[in-house]
Amino acid sequence: MADGPVIQRASERALRHGFGLAEVLQVAAGARKQTEVPIILFSYFNPLLQFGIEKLVDEAAAAGIDGILVTDLTPEEAGEFADTLRPHKLDLIFLVAPTSTDERLQMIAERASGFIYAVSRAGVTGARAEMSAEAEALVKRVRRFSDLPIAVGFGISKPEHVADVWRYADAAVVGSAIVAEIEQAQVPAEAVARVGRFARELIS
């Protein structure tokens, strides 16, 4: 529902190669052995339901996952899921958008843990030439209701975007631009090299 063409094509490639949630958790477990950087599982709710919620939280915790962000699970409907995550010390990350009312921001702030993901603009994912001024205004509004770190995503694809977001937020989320680098690679080793180089450029 929120994915632009780059992420849609990545999902199609995953389906063609039989790469699903179990494989994602295996990759996360391997990464956890090499880094203490927090890992967030980012998904729609349907794949998690198909996998099985109890199985998911057990395996996610065992893999070293720190939190889960479910893009289409609204706070009003997330109570049971949040209760399942809590004993495993898994954070539940919520999205906020420029269109969110102050009342909704306050409600989300009361239910969120880990950090809050601020969507920089309306629309689907994908790299953009310029960042939206709406993002900074949204972060300022969220800070009235929460002391949690705030990450800004959607459209971030250049070093200047990251630098701009870091002026007013705690993290910049880069998705489509990294997936595009993977898409252009001919072999897995090249994908790793491309993503590493791109990530270093983003924070230079």
Side-chain angles (χ1 to χ4, degrees):
M1 290 182 292
D3 291 327
V6 172
I7 303 295
Q8 287 184 38
R9 290 195 299 271
S11 298
E12 291 166 1
R13 288 195 300 276
L15 289 170
R16 285 199 304 271
H17 291 89
F19 198 94
L21 185 52
E23 289 74 25
V24 169
L25 292 171
Q26 290 172 11
V27 170
R32 174 53 70 222
K33 295 177 182 178
Q34 302 182 50
T35 180
E36 295 182 1
V37 172
I39 301 174
I40 304 299
L41 182 64
F42 197 165
S43 178
Y44 292 104
F45 200 42
N46 193 45
L48 307 184
L49 282 173
Q50 290 182 331
F51 191 79
I53 298 303
E54 293 290 346
K55 179 182 177 183
L56 167 71
V57 295
D58 287 341
E59 295 194 15
I65 298 289
D66 296 278
I68 302 179
L69 193 165
V70 188
T71 52
D72 58 346
L73 182 62
T74 63
E76 295 91 337
E77 300 174 341
E80 185 176 346
F81 187 59
D83 291 342
T84 307
L85 296 182
R86 201 169 292 116
H88 294 79
K89 298 182 179 179
L90 292 167
D91 287 316
L92 181 55
I93 318 299
F94 286 113
L95 297 167
V96 296
T99 52
S100 300
T101 64
D102 283 352
E103 290 77 13
R104 188 163 189 79
L105 292 181
Q106 184 173 8
M107 178 187 67
I108 290 171
E110 291 170 352
R111 303 182 187 192
S113 61
F115 68 93
I116 294 174
Y117 188 133
V119 176
S120 66
R121 52 173 171 71
V124 298
T125 62
R128 294 292 189 275
E130 297 179 356
M131 288 299 296
S132 167
E134 290 179 308
E136 184 172 1
L138 174 60
V139 169
K140 289 179 179 178
R141 291 174 58 213
V142 175
R143 292 206 191 279
R144 290 164 45 198
F145 304 107
S146 176
D147 294 327
L148 289 174
I150 302 172
V152 173
F154 276 47
I156 299 174
S157 61
K158 299 178 179 180
E160 51 266 37
H161 294 166
V162 173
D164 182 54
V165 167
W166 281 353
R167 286 190 305 103
Y168 56 86
D170 302 288
V173 181
V174 182
S176 294
I178 287 177
V179 176
E181 292 291 327
I182 297 170
E183 185 174 35
Q184 294 173 43
Q186 300 301 312
V187 294
E190 182 188 350
V192 173
R194 290 184 70 104
V195 170
R197 182 172 60 251
F198 181 60
R200 288 188 293 272
E201 291 172 356
L202 285 174
I203 61 174
S204 62

